[in-house]
Amino acid sequence: MNIIQIIEKKKLGYALTQQEIQFFIKGATDGSIPDYQLAALLMAIRINGMDRDETGWLTLAMAHSGDMLDLSVIDGVPVDKHSTGGVGDTTTLIVAPLVAACGVPVAKMSGRGLGHTGGTIDKLESIPGFSTEMGMEDFIAQVRRIRIAVIGQTKDLAPADKALYLLRDITSTVDSLPLIASSIMSKKLASGARAIVLDVKTGAGAIMRTLDKSIELAQVMVRIGADAGRDVIALVTDMDEPLGSHIGNALEVKEAIDVLAGRVQGPLLDVSMELGTQMLIAAGAADNALKARQTLDTMLVSGQGMEKLRELISAQGGDPEVCAQPSLLPQAKVVCDAHLKDAGYIHRMDTARLGYLAQRMGAGRTKKTDVIDPSVGFVLRHRIGDAVAAGDAIATVYARGEEDIAFAREELLQAITILPEPARPLKLVHAIVTPDGIIPL
Ligand code: URA
Ligand code: CA
């Protein structure tokens, strides 16, 4: 088989065969196809797309490019959740302990921050001592023992995705539906969960900005999962503004602790509960949404969810005292409020810009080798729909120095649109996508 002919075929808009896709993925994994040819093919796929069969074959080839985890020694139905990426999107730290507290095994493989979006692994590593690296046997043993483990992507899991993602990031080919769907689902299939709940974000801070595209992405991923014999459901949730109010690694851990302690309610808790509801149903631990929700509420109110987070932190080498005393988390050098100039109502937030602001302040990486500062970020004091007065604090900024404070103040004002006429709060969940169809909400 010849890679130039495969590139040529996709360039002209033809569908590739399963053999051609397998050849491409083998070459991406073992390095036998050079990056410039892989990049050319990725761009041809970005421009001309892939049909259902091609996308499915691509996902399977990528999933099988490395180890396929077998979680069958774990009792119960191992369930996973995955977000397509957002800002202030800290649901895993809330919902994973709540679901595990219900006895459902949560074997979670999470990612690091990417572009403007945060990652669960970076957040967890802000807890002093917490380690997200462990061997597969220890990972499975921990899930059997305490029903929960959260680790980073290992090098042996979907290595083709690792190679292709690096290239996509630097060749402007991230925003391709078949490439996103196969990237996410290859990792989910390889990591072994029987039931998968996807949180597909939509809006200004999401990988797909329009609702139509987000629903289409959800449908493609759900179909791939169903074809592979997994039980998959997707919620399409809002990312037109950050989900939680805290943005930045240690700040987001603190917010998750506050939610599990019952001190904070609102959209972050609500979306976490919606995801948890689907996870319990998918795992067979509840027959309907009402029962699932009641069980999760019990875990929250009784403190069993928080206790499970403590167990997770202890098991992975972290200091569980952060749960009782969040001030043990890394603290920023400088903390200052940012004030609004205009009065009115908050209409829009350029959520990606807010994510890039946190990244620039040190909460994310602009190069692979950058070291994250876990303490930095900001806490938004208002949401879309709120009435605000000139001089109100829009956010509290946590920074490494005065220069970053000044920059953050400017960016916050630029990213948030205030107009004189009233605005409505946003809807949180837009649709549920199952293998049988779309349920608009
Ligand atoms: N997250 C992934 O893992 N892959 C993508 O392509 C996009 C988001
Ligand atoms: Ca993420």
Side-chain angles (χ1 to χ4, degrees), residues 83 85 118-119:
S83 157

Side-chain angles (χ1 to χ4, degrees), residues 308-330:
K308 192 51 78 178
L309 179 65
R310 287 183 72 97
E311 275 182 73
L312 168 70
I313 294 173
S314 291
Q316 296 191 216
D319 179 3
E321 281 313 301
V322 298
C323 295
Q325 222 180 312
S327 61
L328 292 171
L329 291 164

Side-chain angles (χ1 to χ4, degrees), residues 335-348:
V335 181
C336 265
D337 281 348
H339 299 278
L340 289 169
K341 296 200 173 113
D342 302 317
Y345 296 87
I346 301 181
H347 278 248
R348 283 190 296 282

Side-chain angles (χ1 to χ4, degrees), residues 220-244:
V220 171
M221 292 197 291
V222 165
R223 210 158 55 203
I224 291 170
D227 287 347
R230 309 295 170 94
D231 194 353
V232 189
I233 189 165
L235 300 186
V236 179
T237 71
D238 191 78
M239 195 34 72
D240 259 330
E241 70 185 321
L243 181 57

Side-chain angles (χ1 to χ4, degrees), residues 33 39 52 97 161 189 254 258 281 286 337 409:
I33 301 176
R52 175 179 175 164
D161 176 61
L189 297 184
K254 176 184 182 298
D258 286 342
I281 294 172
D337 281 348
R409 282 186 166 138

Side-chain angles (χ1 to χ4, degrees), residues 82-86 89 111-114 117-120 123:
H82 187 87
S83 157
T84 58
D89 181 26
R112 293 193 181 275
L114 199 66
T117 70
T120 300
K123 294 173 202 181

Side-chain angles (χ1 to χ4, degrees), residues 171-417:
T171 57
S172 191
T173 49
V174 170
D175 63 340
S176 150
L177 201 145
L179 294 179
I180 296 168
S182 57
S183 167
I184 292 174
M185 290 307 294
S186 63
K187 287 174 283 196
K188 294 292 112 183
L189 297 184
S191 60
R194 305 310 310 163
I196 302 158
V197 175
L198 299 169
D199 182 8
V200 178
K201 302 292 183 185
T202 190
I207 200 162
M208 291 296 176
R209 301 210 165 181
T210 66
L211 185 56
D212 284 354
K213 276 281 170 201
S214 304
I215 288 178
E216 194 185 341
L217 175 62
Q219 286 179 297
V220 171
M221 292 197 291
V222 165
R223 210 158 55 203
I224 291 170
D227 287 347
R230 309 295 170 94
D231 194 353
V232 189
I233 189 165
L235 300 186
V236 179
T237 71
D238 191 78
M239 195 34 72
D240 259 330
E241 70 185 321
L243 181 57
S245 57
H246 290 49
I247 294 130
N249 296 290
L251 291 168
E252 292 182 48
V253 172
K254 176 184 182 298
E255 187 172 26
I257 290 169
D258 286 342
V259 169
L260 284 175
R263 288 189 286 272
V264 168
Q265 281 89 37
L268 176 58
L269 173 61
D270 295 342
V271 171
S272 300
M273 287 298 200
E274 296 289 344
L275 292 166
T277 295
Q278 297 304 330
M279 288 168 79
L280 290 192
I281 294 172
D287 335 318
N288 60 54
L290 187 65
K291 282 204 184 122
R293 182 64 197 237
Q294 284 168 345
T295 309
L296 291 168
D297 279 336
T298 306
M299 293 303 147
L300 181 72
V301 172
S302 66
Q304 285 165 273
M306 179 73 100
E307 189 47 41
K308 192 51 78 178
L309 179 65
R310 287 183 72 97
E311 275 182 73
L312 168 70
I313 294 173
S314 291
Q316 296 191 216
D319 179 3
E321 281 313 301
V322 298
C323 295
Q325 222 180 312
S327 61
L328 292 171
L329 291 164
Q331 301 292 311
K333 286 211 187 70
V334 199
V335 181
C336 265
D337 281 348
H339 299 278
L340 289 169
K341 296 200 173 113
D342 302 317
Y345 296 87
I346 301 181
H347 278 248
R348 283 190 296 282
M349 294 199 190
D350 184 340
T351 308
R353 188 165 178 168
L354 292 173
Y356 282 119
L357 167 61
Q359 180 195 40
R360 264 279 297 266
M361 293 173 70
R365 301 172 191 80
T366 48
K367 302 189 294 297
K368 236 172 84 180
T369 50
D370 285 350
V371 177
I372 277 182
D373 183 334
S375 72
V376 301
F378 47 91
V379 176
L380 293 169
R381 298 296 173 198
H382 290 285
R383 297 190 71 82
I384 289 178
D386 285 3
V388 291
D392 279 1
I394 182 67
T396 305
V397 181
Y398 296 75
R400 290 180 287 201
E402 293 300 335
E403 227 175 276
D404 283 0
I405 296 269
F407 176 72
R409 282 186 166 138
E410 196 48 46
E411 281 293 299
L412 284 159
L413 293 184
Q414 294 285 333
I416 296 171
T417 306

